[in-house]
Amino acid sequence: MRTSVVIRVRDEARALAELLRRLGAQTAPHEVVVVDSGSADGSDAVAEQAGARVVRVARFTFGGALNDGTAVASGDVVVALSAHALPRDDGWLARMAAAFEDPAIACVFGPERGGRRRQDAATFDPRATYSNGAGAFRRTLWERHPFREDLPACEDVEWARWALSHGGVCLLDPALAVAHDHARDSLRACFVRYRREARGYALIGEQPPYGARDAVREWWTDQGWHRSPARARLDPRRVARLAGKWAGSPR
């Protein structure tokens, strides 16, 4: 099957150059489409110099940009990548595309943790499902149900829920994980990202009411990936994320 990689970018020239270099080393044949939403740092020029097709959009939404890129792509399998999501080896794209040899597969994603598993409608988990940060989807299903352009985030979760409700399967395989790190995001970036995600979850009916008491309870009790509760409580980025989740959630 033909494979297209669609990358959404804005002012990420350095990260995009590294991503395109790694894609150039992939063993699987593919085309690259870069959707640029008004970069001022030459991201679009970096893409053109690497031989990618560039689509320029004036108004950005996560779903809209991916729809615009997919519309001009020719692949049967479309791989969505953030500009700062980097494949870890040159066989990553081939493994991603090979998953679609199973006709039941609707989408594929590589989580950082957990084992390889297949998720269907009965086991759908909105917090652990397909992501357009570094995932792939079947084009024929996208033609039936494009990504929602009205959502501030979670367009990928909404799409996966639709695909699984229509009999598809999402393959979650750690072997497909990429280097995709937000650990160095600013406090403001953490807050904005989690507020946006909470609003997206709320719009698709996957975010229950979350008030100040809920945020404080989660801050105090949830250790997350930290080594101890004390480390978790003292992490300023975690506090910013919880504040963003509270700000974007329904009351």
Side-chain angles (χ1 to χ4, degrees), residues 5 22 29 33 40 125 142 154 179 186-187 195 199 222 232:
V5 180
R22 296 196 188 195
V33 177
D125 179 355
W142 171 83
C154 301
S186 69
L187 297 183
R195 181 182 60 185
R199 288 174 175 171
D222 185 8

Side-chain angles (χ1 to χ4, degrees), residues 10-58:
R10 182 178 182 181
D11 292 333
E12 293 186 88
R14 181 176 299 181
L16 179 61
E18 176 60 19
L19 173 57
L20 293 172
R21 186 189 69 79
R22 296 196 188 195
L23 287 174
Q26 295 294 305
T27 58
H30 61 280
E31 68 170 351
V32 178
V33 177
V34 172
V35 183
D36 184 273
S37 55
S39 291
D41 69 345
S43 292
D44 53 348
V46 169
E48 289 176 333
Q49 290 169 6
R53 182 171 182 177
V54 177
V55 177
R56 295 174 176 85
V57 297

Side-chain angles (χ1 to χ4, degrees), residues 1-3 28 76-79 91-111 116-119 130 134-139 141 168-177:
M1 291 188 290
R2 295 171 299 174
T3 303
D76 307 295
V77 171
V78 180
V79 179
W92 174 81
L93 192 59
R95 294 194 300 274
M96 185 77 78
F100 290 89
E101 294 175 4
D102 179 347
I105 297 298
C107 51
V108 177
F109 177 63
R116 190 176 190 269
R117 63 196 187 279
R118 294 162 66 94
Q119 191 178 78
Y130 173 74
F137 56 92
R138 197 177 291 276
R139 182 189 181 89
L141 292 177
V169 172
C170 179
L171 177 65
L172 304 174
D173 188 351
L176 301 174

Side-chain angles (χ1 to χ4, degrees), residues 83-180:
H84 51 276
L86 305 176
R88 290 176 168 146
D89 62 74
D90 59 10
W92 174 81
L93 192 59
R95 294 194 300 274
M96 185 77 78
F100 290 89
E101 294 175 4
D102 179 347
I105 297 298
C107 51
V108 177
F109 177 63
E112 287 284 347
R113 298 173 177 85
R116 190 176 190 269
R117 63 196 187 279
R118 294 162 66 94
Q119 191 178 78
D120 57 17
T123 59
F124 177 78
D125 179 355
R127 297 306 198 277
T129 189
Y130 173 74
S131 168
N132 279 332
F137 56 92
R138 197 177 291 276
R139 182 189 181 89
T140 53
L141 292 177
W142 171 83
E143 290 172 346
R144 293 170 56 190
H145 186 78
F147 293 100
R148 279 181 55 177
E149 301 187 8
D150 62 317
L151 296 175
C154 301
E155 82 294 338
D156 39 16
V157 177
E158 190 278 334
W159 191 90
R161 183 170 66 175
W162 174 86
L164 271 58
S165 71
H166 285 73
V169 172
C170 179
L171 177 65
L172 304 174
D173 188 351
L176 301 174
V178 298
H180 191 184

Side-chain angles (χ1 to χ4, degrees), residues 162-222:
W162 174 86
L164 271 58
S165 71
H166 285 73
V169 172
C170 179
L171 177 65
L172 304 174
D173 188 351
L176 301 174
V178 298
H180 191 184
D181 187 9
H182 286 281
R184 297 182 181 179
D185 285 357
S186 69
L187 297 183
R188 174 177 172 74
C190 290
F191 174 85
V192 170
R193 179 177 171 226
Y194 275 75
R195 181 182 60 185
R196 183 174 62 227
E197 288 187 358
R199 288 174 175 171
Y201 280 123
L203 287 170
I204 63 175
E206 298 289 356
Q207 178 63 57
Y210 186 83
R213 288 185 179 182
D214 300 301
V216 171
R217 186 182 303 112
E218 185 173 354
W219 169 74
W220 186 258
T221 62
D222 185 8

